[in-house]
């Protein structure tokens, strides 16, 4: 390691911010812990011969089940931890890291807890819901891995407020520039001004495709018309065309921005509600197990 | 006006009003001269409903007029009413142009030709000055105004705004904002650039121009104003446009020239700005004298506020007291003094008494002040009045033998002076028993003051000592007021810096030759002190600011390292001989000490330990050099990226930062949890804007405080409410009066003015019952709906979560690890290249 020597910038404040992402946190500390937990669970499963066959009601099964249930509750608490800005030496990054790897270890722990006994009952429902939560989490992590860079590139140092402000400013200019136009062309510009450019529902938001965008339609229509007219100097339609062009490109940017943000968030709308369904099913599972014991 | 008044008071601000009120109470014949048609113009011009603060809280108000924090309207209303009640003799529209005569017989000439006679004059004109006037011919009947109160007043007019500063731009934008008003607005600026205006204002102006809402004329000056028309001189010749109204916003002239000319004798002398030309100037030693030529200097005053012209008294902001309460107290005091009440103790007496309370008994405030002034070398040039003011911003304490005064590594920026006793400096952190003494009358702690860096050594009292801690603000003012103090501080700081930097058992005598030849130089950002390939053997010590080292590789400059204040550069060529191997240039405006090469070489020759120490440092640099040389062909891409990133960060002001928030946009998912955490840790207001700010190679510098080494925000804070905390954080305390100076002075736009929102329901009641706005900063609407009573807007900025266990909330609350806080010397090292 090579360092340039500088006088010590002694500070009494501790520096806690090491530059590593939540997946690599402290050199994969939580990945290692999760792997050890999984390894021990698998080894125990293989070494202990439960009669007549492995099941959740055995002593080993109870241990795994208890660990799994407590883990699920703890993992749910990330939602509270994230929002409760209390004092103290905690880092949300460490929590996220642990959340990810311990959450993944549930695949092993819970599957072993079932003893591979599945059926159409509340027990398997809880298991299935848990797997759905984990799958949506994996999907989320892949989004977290892939999209931030694209989000940053697309912004090009503009904030969302600035993008929307730019859009409004172009709309104002369009409104002024359209004053000398005839009714037909003015209506086209009006249609672009009136449309909510981000309407079109969830699908449009997630794909970034807005098939009935009236800005694009208006521009196409104006250009079609222009092809049949003589070229004039200082034609107000030229200014309209360039404004619509600018509006089109800023719309593209905002729509991409909203799409990326939506993709970064949408998985949470699966992950979190199913977590609550899981906790309900889990409670039913635990109560019923003890009730029918 | 035939008879002379006993007292003429010029200016009806808080100081003048209070003085006039006291004179009326005492039944003295007096006149209050106000240039406008209303009292207290500065406060009158505050925006509607502005909350006026009454700091410092501990200072008692001594004035015939009442004053309490409250809305501008209420404050002004009280004053108007009480001025009338006391029967103050006010003369409106009385703009004093010149003052002549002598004590007992002054003549005040007004701009409209009237004259006022008075025995004594109190100048309470503040520091705002008069607006610069249009100098071109103006036809009768043409409308020219110098203020704009409400842009909505004007409809369907052709309006020309002259002046491209913030005031002009804001006026022009306001007039053109509402299309329905039908105004045709033009703005004219003398130069091509809008260099004095804020960035967002310029952007808005150019946006309005591009949208066709306004005409912007650059490199133009008005040549003639006629009824309905204005003519400009432009780069391309004359231009005449329609114009019903001219609004001139061309800055204001500080009142210093007027004050200096009071009762002065004049002589012909050379114009300093126009060599060769003669001008009428004030003869030295006459008129009201100022403490120095510094732009911020104040008049020389006696303890009774009397200037160098007997009979002319100066109070208020012009005397160096910008706070309303101070001004009002002085108004009262000065009239008492003029009336012969010499026994009156200043209103700050109790505050000073408290400061001296911890010291041995037996002396009163005046005696203590005099003791400090005579014992401490750098204070000897202060007048008794200045000494009082100085002590208000300083502290004095008694230390027992062995008691720690400050510890190595603390980030404070005050200066210490020994009034009695002596201290010991622990020069070796490993062995506290090795010490160097500093004796009575001397100063210490000057490195923190000058470089803004951490304390270099722990210092303890050697015996029972009385020591003054001089705040940064007081120390800076002292240096402005007393040039000899400045020289002394500079000399001591150079000497100490060398001793501390090189250690190696050097003594004052060893470095005397080098110190004598040393020269302090200010270097502009981007300017080089050492250029690669040049001859030279001088060594440079960076006193304040920071430098970057660059080397040309393959025709492109490659960033080698960041050198903070307190380091030295240039030793390589001195030891090895030969040409400079790299370029060293200022990252931000910096002060360097140039040490003559030959003298330094002689010193090294006589002190082998020093040479060894310098060689050690050099070795580390040589490794970096060879590291880059070695690989310049193989990894130019990586070096390039590193070099560019470093340059980007320096451009973003990281060079003057001590601790800055960075966001790795490869990891940031845009959840804004950092902002929410910030708001929830601090009264519900976020002090950072994650999305705003520049980005390079996915490294984002959000709009958030960098805790500069020399904070720009501290420069002009009337209540002195901005401080640097023990961990280096720059924070604003509760005495903020919401004036917005710091916000305007911050080049990074990280200070906001806002009201503290009401308290939110708890997190659990939001989670389970949906009460309140949830985590993060509440919406403006919610705050307005739920707040009770009037709250002032105050300046809000990052305090690095000082006092909060666990450290900065933004970093703790980042779920992905995108947010990091770094100091530049940790972050800008080639070491990162290998990581």
């Amino acid at each position: 390691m090579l360092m340039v020597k500088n006088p010590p910038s002694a500070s009494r404040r501790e520096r806690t911010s090491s530059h590593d992402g939540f997946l690599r946190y402290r050199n994969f500390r939580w990945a290692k812990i999760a792997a050890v937990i999984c390894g021990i669970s698998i080894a125990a499963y293989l070494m202990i011969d439960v009669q007549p066959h492995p099941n959740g009601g055995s002593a080993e099964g109870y241990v795994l089940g208890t660990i799994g249930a407590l883990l699920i509750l703890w993992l749910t608490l990330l939602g509270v931890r994230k929002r409760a800005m209390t004092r103290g030496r905690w880092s949300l990054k460490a929590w996220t890291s642990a959340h990810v790897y311990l959450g993944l270890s549930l695949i092993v722990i819970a599957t072993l807890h079932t003893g591979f006994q599945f059926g159409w009952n509340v027990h398997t429902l809880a298991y299935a819901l848990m797997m759905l939560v984990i799958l949506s989490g994996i999907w989320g992590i892949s989004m977290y891995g892939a999209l931030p860079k694209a989000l940053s590139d697309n912004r090009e140092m503009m904030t969302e407020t600035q993008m929307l402000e730019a859009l409004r400013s172009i709309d104002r200019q369009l409104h002024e520039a359209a004053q000398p136009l005839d009714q037909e062309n003015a209506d086209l510009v009006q249609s672009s001004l009136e449309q909510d450019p981000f309407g079109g529902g969830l699908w449009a938001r997630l794909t970034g495709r807005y098939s009935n965008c009236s800005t694009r339609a208006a521009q196409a229509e104006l250009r079609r018309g222009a092809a049949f007219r003589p070229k004039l100097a200082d034609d107000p339609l030229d200014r309209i065309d360039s404004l619509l062009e600018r509006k089109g490109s800023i719309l593209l940017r905002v729509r991409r921005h909203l799409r990326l943000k939506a993709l970064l968030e949408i998985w949470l709308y699966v992950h979190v509600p199913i977590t609550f369904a899981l906790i309900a099913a889990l409670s039913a599972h635990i109560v019923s197990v003890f009730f029918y014991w | 006006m035939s008879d002379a008044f006993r007292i003429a008071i010029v200016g009806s601000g808080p100081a003048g009003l209070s003085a006039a009120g006291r004179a009326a109470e005492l039944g003295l014949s007096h006149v209050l001269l106000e240039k406008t048609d209303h009292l207290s113009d500065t406060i009158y011009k505050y925006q509607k409903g502005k909350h006026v603060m009454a700091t410092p809280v501990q200072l008692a108000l001594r004035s015939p007029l009442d004053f309490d924090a409250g809305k501008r309207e209420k404050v002004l209303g009280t004053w108007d009413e009480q001025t009338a009640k006391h029967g103050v003799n006010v003369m409106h529209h009385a703009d004093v142009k010149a003052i002549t005569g002598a004590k007992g017989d002054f003549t005040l000439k007004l701009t409209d030709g009237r004259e006022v006679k008075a025995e004594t004059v109190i100048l309470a004109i503040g520091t705002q000055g008069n607006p610069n006037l249009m100098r071109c011919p103006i036809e009768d009947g043409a409308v020219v105004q110098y203020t704009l109160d409400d842009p909505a007043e004007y409809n369907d007019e052709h309006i020309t705004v002259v002046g491209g500063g913030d005031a002009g731009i804001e006026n022009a934008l306001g007039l053109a904002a509402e299309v329905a008003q039908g105004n045709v607005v033009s703005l004219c600026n003398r130069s091509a650039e809008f260099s004095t205006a804020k960035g967002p204002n310029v952007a808005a102006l150019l946006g309005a121009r591009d949208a066709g809402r306004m005409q912007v004329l650059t490199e133009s000056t008005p040549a003639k104003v006629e009824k309905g028309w204005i003519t400009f001189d432009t780069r391309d010749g004359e231009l005449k446009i329609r114009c019903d109204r001219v609004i001139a916003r061309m800055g204001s002239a500080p009142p210093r020239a007027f004050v200096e000319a009071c009762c002065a004798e004049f002589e012909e002398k050379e114009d300093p700005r126009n060599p060769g030309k003669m001008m009428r100037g004030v003869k030295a030693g006459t008129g009201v004298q100022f403490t120095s030529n510094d732009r911020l200097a104040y008049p020389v005053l006696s303890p009774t506020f009397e200037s160098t012209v007997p009979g002319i008294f100066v109070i208020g902001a012009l005397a160096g007291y910008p706070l309303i309460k101070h001004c009002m107290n002085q108004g009262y005091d000065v009239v008492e003094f003029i009336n012969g009440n010499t026994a009156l103790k200043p209103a700050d007496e109790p505050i000073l008494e408290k400061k001296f309370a911890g010291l041995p008994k037996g002396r009163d405030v005046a005696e203590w002040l005099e003791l400090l002034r005579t014992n401490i070398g750098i204070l000897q040039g202060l007048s008794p009045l200045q000494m009082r003011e100085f002590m208000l911003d300083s502290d004095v304490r008694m230390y027992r033998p062995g008691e720690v005064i400050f510890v190595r590594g603390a980030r404070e920026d005050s200066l210490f002076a020994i009034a009695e006793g002596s201290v010991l400096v622990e020069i070796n952190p490993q062995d506290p028993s090795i010490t160097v003494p500093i004796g009575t009358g001397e100063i210490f702690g000057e490195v923190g003051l000058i470089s803004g860096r951490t304390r270099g050594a722990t210092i303890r009292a050697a015996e029972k000592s009385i020591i003054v801690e001089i705040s940064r603000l007081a120390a800076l003012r002292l240096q402005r007021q007393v040039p000899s103090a400045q020289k002394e501080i500079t000399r001591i700081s150079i000497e100490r810096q060398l001793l501390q930097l090189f250690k190696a058992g050097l003594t004052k005598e060893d470095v005397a030759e080098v110190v004598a030849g040393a020269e302090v130089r200010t270097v502009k950002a981007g300017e080089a002190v050492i250029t690669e390939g040049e001859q030279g053997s001088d060594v440079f010590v960076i006193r304040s600011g920071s430098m970057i080292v660059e080397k040309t590789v393959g025709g492109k400059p490659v960033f080698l390292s960041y050198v903070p204040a307190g380091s030295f550069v240039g030793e390589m060529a001195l030891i090895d001989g030969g040409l400079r191997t790299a370029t060293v240039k200022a990252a931000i405006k910096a002060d360097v000490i140039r040490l003559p090469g030959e003298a330094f070489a002689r010193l090294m020759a006589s002190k082998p330990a020093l040479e060894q120490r310098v060689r050690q440092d050099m070795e580390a640099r040589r490794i970096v050099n060879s590291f880059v040389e070695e690989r310049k062909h193989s990894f130019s891409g990586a070096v390039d990226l590193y070099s560019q990133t470093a340059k980007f960060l320096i451009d973003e002001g990281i060079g003057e930062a001590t601790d800055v928030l960075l966001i790795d946009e490869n990891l940031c998912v845009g959840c804004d949890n950092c902002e929410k955490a910030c708001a929830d840790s601090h009264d519900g207001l976020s002090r950072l804007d994650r999305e705003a700010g520049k980005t390079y190679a996915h490294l984002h510098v959000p709009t958030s405080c960098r805790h500069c080494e020399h904070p720009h925000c501290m420069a002009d804070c009337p209540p002195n409410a901005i401080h640097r905390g023990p961990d280096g954080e720059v924070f604003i305390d509760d005495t903020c009066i919401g004036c917005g100076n710091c916000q305007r002075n911050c080049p990074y736009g990280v200070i906001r003015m806002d009201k503290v929102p009401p308290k939110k329901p708890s997190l659990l009641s939001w989670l389970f019952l949906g009460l309140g706005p949830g985590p993060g900063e509440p919406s403006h609407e919610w705050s307005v709906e739920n707040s009770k009573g009037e709250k002032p807007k105050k300046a809000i900025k990052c305090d690095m979560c000082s006092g909060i266990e666990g450290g900065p909330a933004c970093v703790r609350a980042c779920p992905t690890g995108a947010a990091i806080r770094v100091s530049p010397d940790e972050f800008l090292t080639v070491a990162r290249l290998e990581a």
Side-chain angles (χ1 to χ4, degrees), chain A residues 13 15 88 92 152-153 155, chain B residues 659 665 698 805 812 826:
Chain A
R13 189 170 68 79
R15 295 195 175 276
L92 193 60
S152 166
D153 288 335
R155 283 207 303 129
Chain B
D659 187 292
E665 291 205 332
H698 302 112
E805 195 200 338
R812 278 191 294 147
E826 285 170 352

Side-chain angles (χ1 to χ4, degrees), chain B residues 617-635:
Chain B
D617 269 37
M618 192 177 84
E619 214 43 50
R621 283 191 192 145
R622 203 150 28 196
I623 294 172
V624 178
N625 272 1
S626 64
F627 175 78
V628 170
E629 282 290 335
E630 212 171 281
R631 299 171 200 214
K632 63 183 174 193
H633 302 298
S634 55
F635 74 173

Side-chain angles (χ1 to χ4, degrees), chain A residues 1-23 79-80 82-94 96-97 143-145 147-153 155 157-163 169 172-173 176 239 257 261 264-265, chain B residues 179 210-211 213 408-410 454 561-564 566-567 620 623-624 627 658-659 664-669 673 677 680-681 691-695 698 700 726-727 763 766-767 775 800 803-806 808-809 811-817 820-823 825-826 830-832 834:
Chain A
M1 192 68 175
L2 170 119
M3 287 290 288
V4 177
K5 260 194 115 165
N6 282 325
S9 70
S11 166
R12 281 187 275 162
R13 189 170 68 79
E14 331 168 28
R15 295 195 175 276
T16 46
S17 50
S18 57
H19 185 191
D20 51 5
F22 66 105
L23 291 178
V80 180
K82 177 181 162 185
R83 292 174 177 85
M85 210 38 237
T86 54
R87 287 156 184 255
R89 267 163 236 291
W90 54 274
S91 132
L92 193 60
K93 175 165 75 172
T96 322
S97 192
M143 293 291 125
Y144 273 25
L147 299 181
K149 213 170 181 160
L151 187 72
S152 166
D153 288 335
R155 283 207 303 129
M157 302 190 215
M158 271 180 114
T159 64
E160 193 175 305
T161 324
Q162 283 167 343
M163 291 182 213
S169 138
R172 272 196 302 270
Q173 295 176 49
E176 277 169 41
R239 181 160 161 73
H257 180 75
K261 274 182 58 172
L264 281 167
E265 271 174 23
Chain B
V179 180
D210 295 342
R213 280 186 289 141
R408 178 182 147 81
T454 55
S561 59
Y562 164 90
V563 199
S567 331
I623 294 172
V624 178
F627 175 78
T658 61
D659 187 292
D664 181 350
E665 291 205 332
N666 289 314
L667 290 171
C668 175
V669 295
N673 217 38
D680 285 347
S681 308
E691 221 179 7
K694 295 270 171 56
T695 310
H698 302 112
H700 179 64
D727 293 338
L763 178 67
W766 172 74
L767 268 178
M800 240 149 76
I804 297 181
E805 195 200 338
V811 174
R812 278 191 294 147
C814 178
T816 64
I820 52 174
R821 293 201 79 100
V822 296
S823 83
D825 37 348
E826 285 170 352
V830 177
R832 295 185 59 80
E834 287 203 318

Side-chain angles (χ1 to χ4, degrees), chain B residues 769-811:
Chain B
L769 306 169
L771 293 179
E777 186 170 320
S779 71
H780 183 68
E781 289 73 30
W782 186 87
S783 300
V784 171
E785 258 169 50
N786 290 278
S787 49
K788 290 179 206 88
E790 188 211 354
K791 267 191 206 156
K793 274 191 182 179
K794 289 193 169 193
I796 309 284
K797 73 176 281 300
C798 168
D799 60 358
M800 240 149 76
C801 287
S802 85
I804 297 181
E805 195 200 338
C810 45
V811 174

Side-chain angles (χ1 to χ4, degrees), chain B residues 30 101 113 149 161 188 204 261 382 395 541 544 625 686 688 725 794:
Chain B
H30 68 279
D149 292 330
V161 178
C188 131
L382 286 175
D395 275 308
V541 175
S544 71
N625 272 1
S686 171
L688 85 106
K794 289 193 169 193

Side-chain angles (χ1 to χ4, degrees), chain B residues 571-579 581 615 618 622:
Chain B
E571 78 291 350
M572 235 182 250
L574 181 65
I575 293 183
D576 287 354
L579 304 176
T581 54
R615 277 186 186 277
M618 192 177 84
R622 203 150 28 196

